[in-house]
Amino acid sequence: MAAHKPVEWVQAVITRFDEQLPIKVGHQNTHTKVSTEHNKECLINISKYKFSLVISGLTTILKNVNNMRIFGEASEKNLYLSQLIILDTLEKCLAG
């Protein structure tokens, strides 16, 4: 049972990262930006130990975001911001 805990913790961080993307929360205020950056840094650090799990989670998030239907200029901006955040996180994980 204890062996599954790291996987659950990583999945929890990935889920939290996903839930705080601009496409999900709309306009980001200072608090949500800081929280998103914190989760991003956590995922980058975790990827050093659980690389495939983090990369898999991020690519799944990216696929889901790319498949979202959006309407309006604000939603389009949030979509692009979300894609940038995900791709930047992926790039930093891969570079590590």
Side-chain angles (χ1 to χ4, degrees):
M1 183 70 162
H4 295 294
K5 286 293 182 191
V7 173
E8 292 173 16
W9 294 334
V10 172
Q11 194 58 46
V13 175
I14 290 169
T15 301
R16 180 81 172 149
F17 177 83
D18 180 35
E19 291 170 348
Q20 292 181 339
L21 290 171
I23 195 72
K24 303 277 178 87
V25 297
H27 177 71
Q28 284 190 309
N29 59 32
T30 304
H31 176 72
T32 55
K33 285 181 184 178
V34 169
S35 188
T36 300
E37 276 299 312
H38 177 72
N39 286 325
K40 181 177 169 180
E41 292 300 320
C42 286
L43 285 175
I44 292 166
N45 288 328
I46 292 169
S47 72
K48 296 172 186 170
Y49 307 99
K50 296 288 184 184
F51 181 78
S52 62
L53 189 59
V54 172
I55 297 301
S56 174
L58 288 172
T59 54
T60 299
I61 292 171
L62 185 60
K63 287 177 191 174
N64 291 340
V65 166
N66 288 339
N67 290 331
M68 289 180 135
R69 292 188 173 255
I70 56 165
F71 302 98
E73 193 174 308
S75 295
E76 189 173 343
K77 179 183 175 187
N78 289 333
L79 172 71
Y80 294 141
L81 283 172
S82 296
Q83 289 171 329
L84 281 172
I85 292 167
I86 298 164
L87 289 171
D88 185 55
T89 307
L90 269 168
E91 185 269 330
K92 289 181 178 170
C93 289
L94 292 170

